[in-house]
Amino acid sequence: MLKGKKGLIVGIAKAQSIAAGCAMAFKASGAELCITYQNDKARKHVEPVANAAGADMLLPLDVTDHAQTDAVFSEIEKNWGKLDFLLHSIAFCPQDDLHGRVIDCSQHGFGLAMDVSVHSLIRLANRAEPLMQNGGTILTVSYHGAEKVVDHYNVMGPVKAALEATTRYLSVELGPKNIRVNALSPGPLQTRAASGIDHFDTLIDDAKTRAPLHRLTTIDEVGAMAACLVTDFARSVSSNTAYIDGGHHVV
């Protein structure tokens, strides 16, 4: 279903990452991939995923480094000449700010969380736009804490709310070019990013208990939804937040 389509995946930390599940689903559907890693320390965890997904390119990308961003898109343009889809699956907040009350969040921590988690999507979408000459798909990863107050999610709630709002605005601005923009919203998953949240086990137990399906979502299931949204089956789907959480968000 994705044969001939070329995609950039940003945000794999290790094999258990949501972005890793998406990478494998994209590959299984026939896509060609460019995968990035944050730094040399992260490369040893990302490279096995890139190899398993048969990635054409494995490139360094710290989204706060504009030169690295330029280099990634230059390589994509040189090797492919186009880009069909982009997955943005990154978020960050300093621990002290993440574990404290929103009202106590520092200006620096809030600004850094917004820059890495939200404005980086804008920067990547800006660079992807000219390479999506025949249309394309941009995906990002959110969480139900963007819509409802979730205990211990703290400042990442407002940050994810900003991410979802940004997704909607980008979808309207890029829609005339047939570029669709959507957010994926999985339930609690045992990922490296989630491990930084206080009392995360409580969120896991709550999801298992209250979700209509009474189980956790897997990264493979998130990947399946991501791959579907990139295919032409979803050609009318944009400005949407797709929940992959066993129905937990309605309870």
Side-chain angles (χ1 to χ4, degrees), residues 4-9 27 30-36 49-59 75-76 79-80 85:
K5 290 188 181 292
K6 305 178 189 300
L8 169 62
I9 299 178
K27 182 61 178 179
E32 298 171 51
L33 303 176
C34 173
I35 290 175
T36 68
V49 179
N51 291 337
D56 294 78
M57 290 177 270
L58 177 63
L59 303 172
E75 283 295 307
I76 290 173
N79 288 287
W80 288 342
F85 63 93

Side-chain angles (χ1 to χ4, degrees), residues 21-234:
C22 293
M24 300 309 295
F26 292 143
K27 182 61 178 179
S29 297
E32 298 171 51
L33 303 176
C34 173
I35 290 175
T36 68
Y37 58 93
Q38 184 180 7
N39 50 40
D40 290 339
K41 182 179 179 181
R43 178 170 183 157
K44 65 181 180 182
H45 299 293
V46 179
E47 193 162 19
V49 179
N51 291 337
D56 294 78
M57 290 177 270
L58 177 63
L59 303 172
L61 178 59
D62 178 337
V63 293
T64 65
D65 186 328
H66 296 279
Q68 284 192 355
T69 303
D70 290 341
V72 166
F73 282 94
S74 292
E75 283 295 307
I76 290 173
E77 185 171 18
K78 181 176 73 175
N79 288 287
W80 288 342
K82 69 164 188 171
L83 188 66
D84 297 298
F85 63 93
L86 160 68
L87 172 67
H88 168 278
S89 182
I90 52 177
F92 175 76
C93 182
Q95 274 204 346
D96 287 347
D97 294 297
L98 177 61
H99 293 164
R101 301 186 305 170
V102 173
I103 199 170
D104 296 322
C105 184
S106 70
Q107 181 179 2
H108 170 74
F110 189 84
L112 186 58
M114 288 291 288
D115 181 68
V116 175
S117 309
V118 183
H119 196 263
S120 63
L121 171 64
I122 296 173
R123 297 194 293 271
L124 294 176
N126 178 267
R127 296 304 305 272
E129 178 185 8
L131 293 173
M132 294 182 169
Q133 296 181 5
N134 297 315
T137 307
I138 297 173
L139 299 173
T140 191
V141 179
S142 187
Y143 178 62
H144 188 47
E147 182 181 343
K148 299 292 185 182
V149 176
V150 174
D151 286 345
H152 310 296
Y153 201 55
N154 303 335
V155 73
M156 288 308 296
V159 170
K160 290 296 189 181
L163 180 68
E164 290 190 11
T166 297
T167 299
R168 291 189 289 271
Y169 276 83
L170 291 178
S171 71
V172 171
E173 293 173 355
L174 296 175
K177 296 188 176 182
N178 197 31
I179 298 173
R180 299 180 293 108
V181 188
N182 292 291
L184 303 165
S185 185
L189 292 169
Q190 292 282 13
T191 64
R192 179 183 174 186
S195 66
I197 300 172
D198 264 347
H199 304 282
F200 185 69
D201 289 345
T202 302
L203 291 179
I204 291 288
D205 292 340
D206 180 70
K208 289 178 180 178
T209 302
R210 295 200 302 127
L213 295 184
H214 297 291
R215 64 174 178 84
L216 298 180
T217 301
T218 68
I219 61 170
D220 296 331
E221 290 169 334
V222 179
M225 176 61 80
C228 180
L229 287 171
V230 173
T231 69
D232 289 341
F233 287 124

